[in-house]
Amino acid sequence: MNASTERRAQAQVDSLTVFIAGDAPSSRQAMAHLTGVLDSIGIPPERLQVVDVLTDPGAALDAGALVTPSLQIKRGERARWFLGDLTDQRDLLAFLS
Amino acid sequence: MTDRVDPTSGEPPRGGADKRPTGIPGFDQLSRGGLPAGAATLLLGGPGAGKTVFALQTVVHAAGTGGSPAIFVAFEEAPEAIKANVAGFDWAAGDAAFERVHFLDGRGPLQAATTGNFDLSGLLAQLGELVRRQAAGWIVLDGLDNLLDLLPAETDRRREIYRIAAFVAETGVPALFTGKLRGGDGEASSSYDAMQFAVQAVVRLSGRLTNGVFGRTLRIVKYRGSDHDNIETPFVIDGGGIAVAYHGDGTPRHKLSSDRLPTGVAGLDRVLDGGYQRGYAVLVSGAPGTAKTTLGACFLSAGADRGETGLLVALDETPEQIAANAGGIGLNLRQHIADGRVRTLAMRSASLAPEAFFLALERAVRAHAPSMVVVDPISAVMEQRHQRGPFDAAARLVDFCKARGVTLLTTTLAEGVDEADTRSRVSTLADAWIALSYQVTMGERNRALSVVKARGIGHSNQVRELVIGADGVQLAEVYAGGGEVLMGAARVAQQAQDELDETERALATERRRRDLEQTIAEAQSKRAALDAALQSAERELELTDRADRKRRELDADKAGRIRRRREGGET
C-alpha cells in the first residue's frame, strides 16, 4: 500500500475500538487479523483501542457492543461495526481504503 | 393486572419449584405459581401471537409489585416502537412500573458486517453490568433469534444458547426469551431448537381463525421440575394485557348458602320455595319473545330493591334498552343502573371469542363484586357447536361466580328443552333451569313457564302461565281444564264460565234458603197460634176447675147451714 493510501485511511478514521472477550480463540484471532490489516494500511497500532468486555463491561454497555470480537470504527458521528474474527478482511479493507 | 388467586376458589395457587408470578390472570394458576425464578423461559409464537406483550406484562408486574427493574433487550424492533405498541395497555405508558423497564436496542449487529466467528460475550457482559448496577429482577431478550442467526454454524448457536442459559442460572435473575415460530403455529426458528432444551420452561402461544373469529391459545410445552397444567388454554389480549382463561385443575370450590334471592316474579318465589338460592347458576331458556330478558331484569331489579348489587351483561342489545323495557312493566332497573347498584357491560357477539367474552366478564365481576350477574343471552357467544371452547368458558364462568357466592342468571335462546342444551350446554352446569315457551290456544300465543330442574329445592313441576303487565310479571294461578293447564283467553273464558256457574249456584241456594225460611216462619207462626190456643184452653180449664171447686164449697156450706137449722140449733 502506498503512502497516499495510508494517509487517506488514517484521515478517514476517528477512532478504532475492538471489543474482545479475554483470550477467547476468536478474540485472539481477531487481534491477529486486525493487527495485520492496520499494518497493511499504515495505521499505527496505538490508534487501536482494545476493550476486554470481561474486565470492562461498562465500556461494552456504553458502546453497545453485543458480540465479541467486534470492531467499531467511528467517522464523525457515524459508527461502523465489523463482527467476528476478521477471517474475511475484504469488507474491512474496502471500508478503510 | 394482579391475579394471584385460584380462579375457582379465590385462593393462592399451589406452588412447587421456586417461581416468580407473572401477574397474568390465569397463567399463574396454569403454571402453579408463575415462571421459574433464576432460570430462563422461552416464549414461542408466530407474528402477533403476543410474545412481547407477555414478556413486558410479566416484568412490569414484577416491577410494580416487587420494585425490581427489568432489562429488556430488543433485537427485532426499536425500543420506541415497542413502547408505542404497548402504550394502550393499562400497565404501560405513564405507569411507574413500566418506567422501571430498562430498554436496550439490540439491533446493532443486524446492520453490521460479519467477518468470521464471534460469540455473545458482549451481550452477557452488558447484561451482567446492568444486573449489577440496577439489581434487575428480570431479563427479557426479545427476538434473540435475530442475533443468533448471524452465527455461521448450528454448533455456534447451540454453544451461545447454553452460555446464555448458564449466565441466567449464575446470576439468578429470571429471564424470558421470545422467539418466532414459522408460519404462526409451525416449527420454531432453528436458532431455538437448542434453546428449547436449554431453558427450564417453554410456553407456546398460538392464534387461529375459527368460524371467522380469531382466538388465541397458549400451552406450557415444558416446565422442568414443576407441576403445571399442559392443556392448550385460550387467552385474550385486551386493555389489561393478556388474560388466560384457565379453568382450574378440575376441582370446583363453591361457596354454598341457603339464603334466597327474590326472583322478582310474583308466584315464582313460591314455586322455587323462596326464590333463587344465593350462589345458584340459573338458566332461563326460551324462544325469542318468551320473556327471558324480562326474567333477568326482574331478578336484578328485585335484588337491587333489597340492597343487592348486580351486573347486567348485555349482548347485542344495550343495557339502556333493557332497562327502558323493564320500566314499562314497573321495574326500577333504570334507577338502579343510574345509582350504580346495577352495573352494565355491553358487547357485540359477532366477533367475540367465547373466552374473550368470559374474561371481560370476569374482570367486571372482580372490579364491581356484584352479588347477582345476569348474562343475556349467553347463547350469543356459544354458537360454536361441537367445540369445547364455549363449554369450558361457560364452566369457568359458573365456577368463578359460585366461588364468590355470586348468583348467576343466564338466558339462552332455544326452542325447546333439548335445544337449550345443544346451544349453550350451560344447562348441565346450571343449578336451576327455567324453561319458557309459547302455548298456542284459541288463536293466541301465551307464555308458559316451567321449572325443569332446581337442585336442592322442592319445586313444582307444573307448567304455568307467565303474565306480563304494566304492574310487573307474575305467574297466573294454575287453571286446569280438559286435562291441561288453560292459558290466556281460554283461561279467561273458562274462568268467566266458572264464575257464572258459581253465581247461578249461589242464587239457587239463596232461593231455596228463602223458601225454607218462609216455611219455617209459617210453621213457627202456626205453632205460636196453637200455643196460644193451648194456653187459653189450659187457662179456661183451670178456671173451670176453680169454679167447680168453689161451687162445691158453697154447696157444702149451704147444706151445712140447712142441716143445722133443721136440727134446731140455728135461728
Side-chain angles (χ1 to χ4, degrees):
Chain A
M1 189 165 286
N2 59 38
S4 67
T5 303
E6 291 177 7
R7 281 194 299 275
R8 192 164 64 245
Q10 290 192 48
Q12 288 174 339
V13 174
D14 290 328
S15 72
L16 279 165
T17 308
V18 64
F19 296 88
I20 60 169
D23 61 348
S26 59
S27 292
R28 283 204 309 272
Q29 203 158 19
M31 286 301 296
H33 288 146
L34 189 55
T35 303
V37 168
L38 296 182
D39 184 55
S40 70
I41 58 175
I43 295 179
E46 57 270 21
R47 289 202 61 188
L48 178 65
Q49 185 184 0
V50 180
V51 174
D52 186 343
V53 299
L54 301 184
T55 57
D56 191 1
L61 184 62
D62 294 340
L66 291 170
V67 305
T68 52
S70 59
L71 174 65
Q72 183 195 52
I73 304 174
K74 279 190 175 175
R75 283 177 177 166
E77 292 300 310
R78 292 186 57 201
R80 178 78 189 265
W81 286 86
F82 291 86
L83 312 182
D85 59 14
L86 300 176
T87 303
D88 184 347
Q89 298 149 21
R90 282 171 298 182
D91 286 347
L92 177 60
L93 281 169
F95 182 74
L96 289 174
S97 299
Chain B
M1 177 179 287
T2 301
D3 186 350
R4 296 189 60 188
V5 297
D6 187 280
T8 57
S9 68
E11 297 168 357
R14 295 183 302 282
D18 191 13
K19 297 180 181 181
R20 294 282 178 86
T22 64
I24 294 173
F27 185 81
D28 290 342
Q29 288 73 39
L30 187 75
S31 58
R32 310 287 189 263
L35 295 174
T41 296
L42 175 62
L43 300 173
L44 287 174
K51 306 178 295 295
T52 303
V53 175
F54 189 112
L56 266 175
Q57 191 173 342
T58 298
V59 300
V60 170
H61 168 77
T65 53
S68 302
I71 302 163
F72 190 103
V73 188
F75 294 101
E76 197 162 75
E77 289 182 282
E80 291 310 314
I82 292 174
K83 290 177 185 175
N85 290 343
V86 300
F89 295 118
D90 300 343
W91 39 263
D95 189 288
F98 188 73
E99 298 302 320
R100 285 202 279 275
V101 180
H102 183 96
F103 282 89
L104 273 183
D105 192 341
R107 297 172 304 150
L110 306 182
Q111 294 144 12
T114 54
T115 61
N117 290 327
F118 62 87
D119 61 40
L120 303 184
S121 296
L123 171 65
L124 300 182
Q126 287 192 39
L127 292 176
E129 179 67 7
L130 280 172
V131 167
R132 187 186 62 78
R133 284 185 190 176
Q134 303 189 353
W138 275 94
I139 295 170
V140 178
L141 303 181
D142 190 32
L144 181 61
D145 54 326
N146 290 285
L147 182 60
L148 292 171
D149 284 345
L150 296 176
L151 291 162
E154 178 65 32
T155 50
D156 295 332
R157 289 193 283 272
R158 190 178 303 128
R159 180 197 67 219
E160 293 307 303
I161 285 168
Y162 279 99
R163 281 186 70 204
I164 295 170
F167 167 83
V168 171
E170 186 181 337
T171 58
V173 178
L176 276 167
F177 307 150
T178 74
K180 290 185 289 293
L181 288 174
R182 296 190 184 115
D185 291 341
E187 295 177 0
S189 165
S190 62
S191 295
Y192 287 100
D193 291 346
M195 186 78 80
Q196 297 189 54
F197 296 98
V199 298
Q200 190 165 332
V202 177
V203 180
R204 192 177 182 120
L205 293 81
S206 309
R208 66 177 66 90
L209 210 56
T210 306
N211 296 338
V213 176
F214 184 73
R216 301 173 187 274
T217 58
L218 62 76
R219 189 169 81 85
I220 299 174
V221 179
K222 155 187 173 178
Y223 202 144
R224 193 179 291 146
S226 167
D227 175 30
H228 65 280
D229 207 333
N230 62 1
I231 61 170
E232 190 170 25
T233 309
F235 73 95
V236 296
I237 302 177
D238 59 15
I242 290 178
V244 181
Y246 181 55
H247 186 233
D249 59 2
T251 309
R253 301 173 184 87
H254 299 159
K255 285 185 180 173
L256 301 175
S257 169
S258 57
D259 187 22
R260 299 299 172 93
L261 293 177
T263 64
V265 178
L268 185 55
D269 286 352
R270 196 166 58 249
V271 171
L272 289 172
D273 199 22
Y276 301 133
Q277 195 164 311
R278 191 183 291 278
Y280 241 36
V282 181
L283 175 69
V284 177
S285 68
T290 49
K292 300 181 297 297
T293 304
T294 303
L295 253 64
C298 285
F299 171 53
L300 281 177
S301 189
D305 285 345
R306 215 177 71 164
E308 301 285 337
T309 54
L311 173 67
L312 171 61
V313 184
L315 285 147
D316 303 329
E317 188 175 12
T318 64
E320 292 76 17
Q321 185 63 55
I322 293 173
N325 295 343
I329 55 173
L331 302 180
N332 297 324
L333 189 55
R334 184 150 46 185
Q335 189 58 47
H336 289 314
I337 291 173
D339 293 344
R341 190 167 293 285
V342 174
R343 304 280 187 154
T344 62
L345 180 65
M347 283 179 274
R348 284 280 175 200
S349 65
S351 58
L352 200 58
E355 287 304 335
F357 164 73
F358 286 116
L359 285 167
L361 199 156
E362 268 193 27
R363 284 191 166 142
V365 170
R366 287 186 199 282
H368 306 308
S371 59
M372 310 175 290
V373 172
V374 169
V375 180
D376 181 55
I378 200 170
S379 49
V381 288
M382 302 194 68
E383 292 287 342
Q384 299 174 50
R385 300 180 182 205
H386 313 302
Q387 292 186 20
R388 281 205 58 79
F391 181 73
D392 289 345
R396 183 167 185 252
L397 174 66
V398 169
D399 280 344
F400 176 78
C401 286
K402 286 188 166 190
R404 285 160 175 75
V406 174
T407 307
L408 171 69
L409 186 149
T410 61
T411 69
T412 187
L413 189 65
E415 296 296 333
V417 169
D418 291 337
E419 196 186 355
D421 205 36
T422 306
R423 283 197 183 223
S424 73
R425 302 172 68 191
V426 179
S427 56
T428 55
L429 304 169
D431 300 300
W433 180 4
I434 295 170
L436 299 175
S437 61
Y438 285 122
Q439 290 206 354
V440 180
T441 50
M442 297 177 65
E444 65 178 24
R445 284 176 180 272
N446 294 295
R447 295 182 179 90
L449 179 150
S450 63
V451 179
V452 180
K453 73 172 181 181
R455 288 174 182 154
I457 291 180
H459 62 278
S460 166
N461 61 357
Q462 179 75 62
V463 177
R464 294 163 191 266
E465 183 182 0
L466 187 68
V467 182
I468 301 175
D471 56 347
V473 183
Q474 60 181 336
L475 286 183
E477 287 298 320
V478 174
Y479 216 84
E484 62 180 27
V485 176
L486 299 178
M487 296 185 183
R491 172 175 54 80
V492 172
Q494 186 64 43
Q495 275 181 319
Q497 183 61 49
D498 288 350
E499 286 171 7
L500 180 63
D501 292 346
E502 179 61 27
T503 303
E504 289 181 350
R505 272 196 300 276
L507 286 173
T509 302
E510 184 62 24
R511 275 197 299 274
R512 178 67 177 153
R513 175 187 294 279
R514 279 204 299 272
D515 290 346
L516 289 172
E517 284 174 350
Q518 188 172 356
T519 303
I520 292 170
E522 288 171 358
Q524 286 175 333
S525 175
K526 288 177 183 175
R527 186 172 68 183
L530 288 172
D531 285 346
L534 177 62
Q535 286 178 353
S536 176
E538 287 174 343
R539 177 68 180 162
E540 184 63 27
L541 178 60
E542 185 182 344
L543 290 173
T544 302
D545 288 345
R546 194 182 301 163
D548 185 57
R549 280 196 301 276
K550 188 67 178 177
R551 191 175 58 247
R552 287 176 190 275
E553 287 173 4
L554 290 173
D555 288 348
D557 182 59
K558 184 178 174 183
R561 275 186 288 158
I562 292 170
R563 188 176 58 248
R564 282 192 301 272
R565 184 183 293 266
R566 284 173 181 168
E567 289 172 355
E570 189 173 341
T571 59

